[in-house]
Amino acid sequence: MARLTAAVHVQHPTTMEWIVLAPGDEPEPALAAEITNPHAWEDGEVPDSSPGPEQGPPPFGFTGPDTAPEPEPEPTSPKRRTKTTRTNV
């Protein structure tokens, strides 16, 4: 586990409760994934935050590259009306 060198305020990913972690704390992986500032960590590196099988979806609604929104269809131009020609016979 990684150790903090600074106090941080972090929102728990499942309860959405704000938590204050003190220098020297070793937060659980779910909380550690929320702390992205390298200066907060003892070794200066953000711990690996890849979700394991026991963790839920990534925080803040990130869905990943495989769920990109579908492109909107191209607008179609209206069909042209043709004039009918009348002939007097």
Side-chain angles (χ1 to χ4, degrees):
M1 283 194 143
R3 186 183 309 260
L4 292 170
T5 60
V8 294
H9 295 234
V10 64
Q11 190 173 20
H12 195 280
T14 54
T15 65
M16 299 304 176
E17 176 183 18
W18 284 98
I19 300 171
V20 178
L21 299 170
D25 284 351
E26 295 179 0
E28 61 186 58
L31 287 176
E34 300 294 318
I35 306 167
T36 58
N37 186 342
H39 297 291
W41 296 103
E42 195 170 67
D43 58 0
E45 291 186 26
V46 178
D48 182 24
S49 63
S50 59
E54 71 280 350
Q55 291 180 339
F60 303 115
F62 178 74
T63 57
D66 58 338
T67 58
E70 293 185 20
E72 292 186 23
E74 291 287 324
T76 58
S77 58
K79 296 193 187 274
R80 298 185 83 184
R81 293 174 47 176
T82 58
K83 275 189 173 177
T84 57
T85 55
R86 269 183 133 163
T87 55
N88 293 336
V89 203

